């Protein structure tokens, strides 16, 4: 009874079982095939060409949707995939810090705001659901987008319209960051909006000129 558990069993007890099993599967399957890539990334550092601003929602993983390999996507996720306006006020700005790192330091070439259907953050805002110490303040960023679709409040697809209006607003807010604006003007950074339908797996992209979302790869 005094036998010490093996290190492996000890580790198992320190992670949720699903993560333990998932890591074992990664070590046995994906790691051997990606080993040289990981070594290269460790030695040279990361140089992703694309940054994604996505939602925390567990159903909307950018790496899964875009079939990305390690080192390809620089990702920041937050409740309702919002980009706040540029606001260097000395407070704590995790999303803005990630944007600064991705655009000004890593110099990504593409920046994608990835919205999605059935977003809990958007629903909470639309229904005035009670929120805690942080969520309510954060999703109040949706107010300008909500004002822009207020007249469609009674429509059946109001939430989708709000999700898509918010995505456009986030793209507008991106342009308030001096380093984003500068890179865009140099044509070294391109901004994109994309919208993922959780139920069908369909991805639409925003046509900036028309303001419409158009389905990708419908075949
Ligand atoms: Zn969401």
């Amino acid at each position: 009874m005094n036998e010490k558990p093996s290190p492996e069993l000890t580790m198992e007890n320190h992670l949720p079982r699903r993560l333990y099993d998932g890591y074992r599967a990664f070590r046995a399957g994906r790691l051997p095939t990606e080993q040289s890539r990981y070594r290269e990334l460790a030695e040279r550092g990361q140089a992703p060409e694309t940054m994604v601003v996505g939602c925390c929602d567990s159903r909307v993983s950018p790496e899964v949707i875009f079939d990305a390999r390690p080192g390809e996507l620089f990702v920041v996720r937050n409740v309702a995939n919002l980009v706040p306006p540029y606001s260097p006020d000395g407070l704590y700005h995790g999303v803005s810090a990630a944007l600064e790192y991705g655009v000004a330091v890593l110099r990504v070439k593409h920046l994608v705001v990835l919205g999605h259907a059935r977003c809990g953050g958007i629903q909470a805002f639309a229904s005035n659901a009670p929120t805690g110490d942080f969520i309510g303040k954060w999703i109040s960023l949706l107010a300008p987008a909500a004002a822009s679709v207020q007249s469609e409040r009674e429509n059946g697809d109001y939430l989708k319209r709000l999700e898509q209006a918010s995505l456009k607003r986030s793209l507008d807010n991106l342009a308030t960051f001096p380093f984003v604006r500068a890179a865009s003007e140099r044509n070294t950074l391109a901004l994109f909006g994309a919208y993922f339908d959780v139920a069908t797996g369909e991805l639409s992209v925003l046509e900036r000129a028309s303001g419409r979302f158009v389905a990708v790869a419908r075949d």
Side-chain angles (χ1 to χ4, degrees), residues 84-87 93-101 177 179:
Y86 178 68
S87 180
H93 294 287
V95 175
S96 304
L99 286 170
E100 188 167 46
Y101 195 74
F177 287 77
F179 46 84

Side-chain angles (χ1 to χ4, degrees), residues 55-57 79-81 116 118-121:
C55 183
C56 296
D57 192 304
V79 172
N81 48 269
H116 72 101
R118 295 172 167 78
C119 181

